Amino acid sequence: MRLRAERPNHVWSYDFVEDRTHDGRKFRMLCLIDEFTHEALAIRVKRRLNATDVLETLADVMILRGPPAYVRSDNGPEFIALVLREWIAAVGSRTAYIAPGSPWENGYCESFNSKLRDELLDGEIFFSLPEAQILIEAWRQQYNGARPHSSLNYRPPAPESFVPRSGGIVPWASAPAVEGARSPTPNMALETAVH
């Protein structure tokens, strides 16, 4: 039976995507997602990515979110490297490898990769690796914070939120009521300062 994510941080999955800069040089992206929330946790962009880069990406995200219960991937050499498998076990996670030649078993990641290609990579010319890194990270933030997802009732997986600034003035209505205290007035601060 296929492992299904039941909560945030239960199952993360990752995979590689390739593209080229304008000069024809290849670069790779390691895409890491949370299968339950559909949030893109990281997209690491470099000319070459190996098992150490995979480990560092996982470590960076785990510092912020804690380790997941499972990490799903295909059987690529970067994902089955002994050092990576030992490290994943040491942090308390387990690997969930898909069967060779069965990308549909990593469907959430494959779907994400398709959206990345359709919405950004196929319509953008990257003139340098730093430009690709900046634009891909900006797309990831927009994907997480603003882009509606049909599988999430047309909401983003990690919506951006903000608290409007009130110019330092706290509305009187938000002050907690204290029994026996007199009602606050706009002149109360002035009266307190004078006494």
Side-chain angles (χ1 to χ4, degrees):
M1 246 176 81
R2 183 174 177 269
L3 173 67
R4 294 193 181 276
E6 298 172 358
R7 62 188 179 281
N9 261 17
H10 184 217
V11 181
W12 291 357
S13 61
Y14 49 23
D15 197 9
F16 289 115
V17 177
E18 290 187 0
D19 204 9
R20 294 183 182 274
T21 49
H22 185 262
D23 58 7
R25 295 176 61 203
K26 184 171 69 170
F27 67 87
R28 296 179 91 191
M29 293 155 275
L30 172 66
C31 301
L32 174 65
I33 65 164
D34 183 313
E35 289 190 6
F36 185 81
T37 64
H38 300 215
E39 183 178 1
L41 303 173
I43 304 176
R44 185 153 203 173
V45 182
K46 290 178 74 175
R47 292 285 178 194
R48 292 178 190 87
L49 290 164
N50 57 30
T52 302
D53 295 306
V54 173
L55 191 150
E56 288 173 358
T57 303
L58 285 173
D60 290 347
V61 177
M62 285 183 193
I63 287 170
L64 299 173
R65 299 177 179 265
Y70 294 91
V71 180
R72 187 190 319 268
S73 70
D74 61 26
N75 295 283
E78 301 88 354
F79 301 135
I80 62 169
L82 183 61
V83 66
L84 181 62
R85 287 183 293 153
E86 288 176 346
W87 184 83
I88 288 173
V91 298
S93 297
R94 296 174 62 188
T95 55
Y97 294 112
I98 65 172
S102 304
W104 56 86
E105 290 183 20
N106 199 2
Y108 290 109
C109 211
E110 294 295 335
S111 175
F112 174 82
N113 294 347
S114 175
K115 289 176 179 73
L116 172 62
R117 180 144 320 272
D118 292 345
E119 296 174 14
L120 179 68
L121 302 178
D122 285 348
E124 191 67 49
I125 297 173
F126 303 109
F127 288 95
S128 67
L129 186 64
E131 179 186 25
Q133 291 167 333
I134 290 167
L135 292 175
I136 290 166
E137 177 59 20
W139 181 86
R140 185 187 74 84
Q141 290 179 12
Q142 187 270 341
Y143 177 89
N144 287 336
R147 182 190 178 280
H149 295 243
S150 59
S151 60
L152 300 173
N153 277 340
Y154 295 94
R155 292 186 203 131
E160 295 174 1
S161 61
F162 69 95
V163 176
R165 291 187 57 174
S166 61
I169 301 170
V170 177
W172 290 109
S174 66
V178 177
E179 193 171 319
R182 58 182 223 191
S183 298
T185 64
N187 293 329
M188 194 174 229
L190 181 59
E191 290 171 12
T192 306
V194 172
H195 297 293

